[in-house]
Structure formats: C-alpha cells, structure tokens
Amino acid sequence: MKRIILVGFMGTGKTVVGRRLANAIGFRFLDIDSMIEKREGSSIASIFQEKGESYFRNLEKKMVKEVCDLSPSVIATGGGAVQDPENRKILKKDGWMVCLTATPEKILERTKRKKSRPLLQGGDPMETIKKIMIERSEAYADSDFMVDTTEMSVSKVVDTILHVFKRNFPNH
Ligand code: S3P
C-alpha cells in the first residue's frame, strides 16, 4: 500500500481531512484540483467556464496518472475523478481508497457559501446534488472504506480513518 486515496462528493472534506491525515502519518499530501490549478494558472471554476468540463476531465486524468507515480502519499481527488473507471483502476492500484460521504442536505450547507463548485452553479443545487450522487453511487461504493462525515468534526473523521489504517496496515 503506497498511498491513501480520498474520494467522495464535493463538500465531504477530502482536502482538509487529507492534509491532516498526511501530517499524522508522515506521508506527503497531494490535492489533484490544487495541482491542476497551479499547472493551468487558473481556478477550477475558470477552467470550467473558459475551457469546459471535458477539458477539465482530461487534465484530471493526466494528473491522476502523475500523482500515482509519487509516493507514499495521501491524495485528495476532485469529486468526479473516480467516475472514470480507468482513473479508479489507476488510483486503486497500490492505494487504499477511502470514500467520504454526507447527506445531500449537509453537502448543500457546506458548499452553498462558495462559488468554487461550477457543477452546482445555476439550476436547483439540491436537485443537482441528488442527481449526481445517484450517478456516482457505484463509483464511490467501489472504495475500500467509507466514512459518513455528516455529523462528524474533521478531527473525528481523521481519527476514524487513522484507526482503521493502522489496523489494516500496521507495517505501512
Ligand atoms: C467536481 C468536484 C470538484 C472539482 C470540480 C468537479 C466534481 O472538487 O474537481 O469542480 O465533479 O464533483 P471537490 O470535490 O474538491 O469539490
């Protein structure tokens, strides 16, 4: 096991949890969306707006391959990265895949203040969240471990993952 992969819907805390988890284990932390933003010199929202979603998905796919050459690491993926079966396969190879979940209501609450989620702009965000959640349910369920973050603090989520990680990989 060379890396921990955090997957899950927007607003489930992948970035904040991933950073703390990496610190606790002594792995490097890699955030795919931040790496894309750095490389493009542009925010995810601007990339979606100016170049479109399929352009973003291509960048995401390239970055998935790149981050899997760097280890050991904790990797935070963007919410849609694992919808692509090939991405999932690459990420799962030598990786322990942990999915963070939350109810649609909680996700709406956590994402509504930010304009950084292009997929939730325009239309009824609650409807969009529920629709995308159904579309991705199989991909997320393909994870090795799931944590429902709805009522949990970030520390509690990190502790829960750490506990299972140490039990499963005592000699990581
Ligand atoms: C997306 C989630 C975002 C970002 C992009 C697309 C998605 O990442 O990759 O806006 O398809 O769910 P977060 O899950 O970190 O918000």
Side-chain angles (χ1 to χ4, degrees):
M1 205 284 302
K2 293 184 180 154
R3 53 192 75 88
I4 299 177
I5 319 291
L6 293 179
V7 307
F9 211 84
M10 295 168 259
T12 51
K14 300 177 296 285
T15 300
V16 59
V17 167
R19 187 171 289 118
R20 286 210 208 168
L21 196 61
N23 260 336
I25 304 174
F27 279 12
R28 76 197 280 185
F29 174 63
L30 301 169
D31 182 272
I32 293 184
D33 280 350
S34 306
M35 292 170 79
I36 292 173
E37 289 184 324
K38 219 174 190 177
R39 172 125 352 138
E40 289 289 291
S42 181
S43 69
I44 300 292
S46 306
I47 298 171
F48 265 74
Q49 201 180 9
E50 287 158 21
K51 309 256 175 78
E53 179 169 355
S54 57
Y55 179 86
F56 170 77
R57 296 296 172 202
N58 275 329
L59 292 175
E60 187 175 51
K61 204 173 177 102
K62 276 190 204 139
M63 205 53 92
V64 162
K65 290 191 178 125
E66 282 185 39
V67 292
C68 286
D69 283 336
L70 308 167
S71 59
S73 56
V74 174
I75 298 173
T77 61
V82 289
Q83 213 173 357
D84 178 316
E86 201 188 337
N87 283 351
R88 214 153 66 229
K89 198 170 155 200
I90 295 169
L91 288 164
K92 285 189 83 171
K93 186 175 178 294
D94 299 324
W96 183 51
M97 193 176 274
V98 177
C99 181
L100 305 185
T101 68
T103 59
E105 291 74 19
K106 189 54 108 182
I107 284 170
L108 183 64
E109 187 188 311
R110 289 180 188 163
T111 55
K112 72 181 169 200
R113 276 160 283 133
K114 297 189 190 157
K115 283 256 183 288
S116 58
R117 284 1 191 276
L119 293 181
L120 302 181
Q121 304 307 310
D124 177 347
M126 189 55 155
E127 287 306 308
T128 311
I129 290 169
K130 286 183 177 164
K131 179 174 160 280
I132 305 179
M133 231 181 222
I134 291 169
E135 287 169 5
R136 294 184 181 165
S137 57
E138 248 180 76
Y140 290 150
D142 199 16
S143 304
D144 300 300
F145 180 54
M146 296 255 206
V147 184
D148 183 353
T149 69
T150 308
E151 300 298 337
M152 275 193 192
S153 65
V154 171
S155 309
K156 180 81 184 126
V157 177
V158 173
D159 287 349
T160 304
I161 298 173
L162 262 181
H163 181 76
V164 180
F165 172 75
K166 286 181 180 160
R167 200 181 60 202
N168 287 5
F169 307 99
N171 309 310
H172 67 274

